[in-house]
Amino acid sequence: MVDVTHKPVVYREAIAEGAIRLRPETIRAIREGRIEKGDVLTTAAIAGILAAKKTWDLIPLCHPLPLTHVDVKCEVSGEDRVVCRAKVVTSAKTGVEMEALTAVSIALLTVWDMTKKLEKDEEGQYPYTRIEYIRVVSKKKGGEA
């Protein structure tokens, strides 16, 4: 790990987002609450929050950070996408970009897992499904929320 011993503890915030492309029929099933595994958007958001809290455990050289706030929102966007956005906050010596990116990634993977039954083609493949555009939208250092 990088030595951050001598860095000051300051307010840190990162926002990340990404999307998963799904078949329009799958999006309709999500909107209508017809996914066999349950509420896709809520489950994905909770999975993202849990992932942010475990980032240091998943990515070998990340520092364990005392997260003070994690918010993950997942919503249907248009006819063929779910977008997930994560905001992570701490007061620490290093940033929370990796926590925000991990939250979004796991939230999107959860959407995939919960909808894969509807996404498979006749051969059991996923020709339409894809996770895309995962990125850090913004980050702050210092100041307040």
Side-chain angles (χ1 to χ4, degrees), residues 40-94:
V40 173
L41 303 178
T42 300
T43 304
I46 292 168
I49 292 167
L50 292 173
K53 293 165 58 174
K54 292 192 166 273
T55 299
W56 67 273
D57 219 10
L58 299 168
I59 301 176
L61 301 178
C62 281
H63 291 86
L65 297 175
L67 304 183
T68 57
H69 179 70
V70 180
D71 183 43
V72 179
K73 290 190 178 9
C74 297
E75 59 188 19
V76 170
S77 177
E79 295 181 7
D80 68 349
R81 280 184 175 64
V82 170
V83 174
C84 294
R85 186 177 187 98
K87 177 181 177 181
V88 181
V89 177
T90 190
S91 290
K93 296 181 177 198
T94 188

Side-chain angles (χ1 to χ4, degrees), residues 115-132:
T115 61
K116 65 186 176 190
K117 182 176 181 179
L118 298 175
E119 288 294 299
K120 291 179 190 176
D121 67 10
E122 300 78 36
E123 287 93 40
Q125 301 300 311
Y126 302 96
Y128 192 83
T129 316
R130 73 170 171 250
I131 292 173
E132 43 191 26

